[in-house]
Amino acid sequence: MLAKSVANTFSQAASHYKQHDVVQRLTADILMSQSRLSGHLLDIGCGPGTDFSAFKPLTKVTAVDIAPGMLEQVAQHFPHYQTLCSDAQNMAINANSVDHVYSNLALQWCQDYPQAIAEINRVLVDKGECHLAIVSAGSLPQLKQLGFRINHFNHQTALLSPFISSQNNDNDTSHWQLISSAEQTVTVYFDDLRSLLYSIKGVGATAGGNDAGVQGVLTKSQWAKRLELAKQLSTHQGIPLSYQVVFIHAKKAT
C-alpha cells in the first residue's frame, strides 16, 4: 500500500517536477562530474528523465521509476530511453545485464535499502559500477526550526553498510568493491517560504510515511508564525535549506 501511495504522489508531481527540482539538479551535477558512464545505463528513480547525452559511449538507457507519471515525462522528452515502472527493491531486469547504475536522490525512499543495493548488484555485470547520491541523516534541519516534521533518513554508516559488509562476508551473495564515498552538505536558498516548501512538495516527496516533513493545512496564525520564523532564518542569499547527501561509487566484484 505504501509503494502505491508513493507512486501516486510522485506521479502527480511529474508535470511540474522540473519547476522545483533545485537540489536534484545540484546533486546531479556533482554525481555526473564523478561518473564515467558507458554501455547499458540503468537510471533508478529516474523522475522525469536525465540528459545523459554527454556520455557518448552509452548504448542504451533504461529509466526506472515507481511512478507511471514520471515515466510518461521520460517518454515525452527522451523517447529513445527504455522505460520500466518498477520498485527499486524488485526490478524486472535480467541479472548481469547492466554496465552502470545511476541513481540521484531516490534510494532514500526505499523501505528495505539493503535489498535495493542487492538488486543493483544482481543486475550489474561483473565489474559493473554504480554511482549513487542518497539523502542522509541530518538533512532539512531548517524544517524542524520552522515547526515541520522531518522524515527519518539513514546515517552514512547505514548507507555504506551493504557495500562494506559484502566485502567482509564470504556468505554474502552480493560482493562489492567500494571505490569512493563522501558525505556532502548541499544547501539551496529560496526567496520565500512558499518556494522553499514547494522544492519538496513540488517534486512529490510527501507520500505516506516517507514525506519530507511538509503536510497538512496550516491555519492563518500557524502560517504567520512560520513566516516570522523563516524571516529569522533568512540570510542575504535567501532562506537556506540544507541536505546531507552521501555519494557512493562502487564496483561489482567477481
Side-chain angles (χ1 to χ4, degrees):
M1 182 63 69
L2 177 58
K4 184 177 180 180
S5 176
V6 171
N8 289 340
T9 305
F10 277 94
S11 283
Q12 291 168 12
S15 62
H16 50 78
Y17 182 100
K18 286 294 184 182
Q19 299 173 36
H20 307 291
D21 63 340
V22 183
V23 68
Q24 286 81 1
R25 282 182 271 127
L26 289 174
T27 54
D29 287 344
I30 296 171
L31 199 56
M32 286 195 178
S33 71
Q34 301 172 349
S35 305
R36 299 293 180 267
L37 307 175
S38 62
H40 180 191
L41 172 67
L42 180 64
D43 181 4
I44 298 177
C46 62
T50 296
D51 184 1
F52 295 108
S53 60
F55 300 95
K56 300 301 182 186
L58 288 179
T59 58
K60 179 181 178 181
V61 176
T62 299
V64 174
D65 205 284
I66 197 172
M70 291 295 186
L71 296 177
E72 290 173 5
Q73 295 293 312
V74 175
Q76 179 180 342
H77 298 290
F78 303 97
H80 55 295
Y81 290 5
Q82 179 178 324
T83 59
L84 174 64
C85 188
S86 181
D87 190 322
Q89 299 155 110
N90 184 25
M91 296 182 287
I93 297 174
N94 291 335
N96 307 307
S97 63
V98 174
D99 298 293
H100 284 86
V101 168
Y102 171 99
S103 184
N104 181 36
L105 303 193
L107 296 179
Q108 67 271 4
W109 303 122
C110 292
Q111 285 186 292
D112 190 343
Y113 170 76
Q115 174 58 30
I117 300 305
E119 269 291 272
I120 291 174
N121 188 278
R122 181 186 67 82
V123 302
L124 279 172
V125 300
D126 289 344
K127 298 184 179 180
E129 299 181 10
C130 67
H131 306 268
L132 316 175
I134 309 169
V135 177
S136 59
S139 294
L140 310 173
Q142 295 86 359
L143 284 185
K144 186 174 183 180
Q145 293 174 270
L146 290 167
F148 294 103
R149 185 169 70 83
I150 302 175
N151 188 65
H152 169 77
F153 296 110
N154 285 322
H155 287 271
Q156 181 181 15
T157 51
L159 296 176
L160 294 178
S161 180
F163 298 94
I164 296 172
S165 61
S166 73
Q167 295 178 147
N168 303 319
N169 184 357
D170 292 335
N171 295 321
D172 195 327
T173 56
S174 20
H175 296 281
W176 291 101
Q177 175 191 350
L178 183 60
I179 297 173
S180 67
S181 66
E183 186 174 50
Q184 296 185 33
T185 301
V186 179
T187 303
V188 287
Y189 296 87
F190 300 90
D191 293 334
D192 53 61
L193 179 57
R194 195 174 300 276
S195 59
L196 181 151
L197 295 178
Y198 268 96
S199 75
I200 301 169
K201 297 185 70 172
V203 297
T206 57
N210 279 338
D211 81 75
V214 184
Q215 65 176 186
V217 178
L218 299 177
T219 65
K220 188 174 181 179
S221 62
Q222 288 173 328
W223 179 249
K225 180 179 179 180
R226 282 161 174 78
L227 287 175
E228 180 58 32
L229 291 171
K231 184 178 179 181
Q232 295 172 20
L233 285 176
S234 187
T235 70
H236 69 281
Q237 293 174 277
I239 307 170
L241 187 62
S242 301
Y243 291 77
Q244 296 300 120
V245 180
V246 175
F247 294 89
I248 299 171
H249 179 196
K251 178 184 291 187
K252 179 178 178 178
T254 56

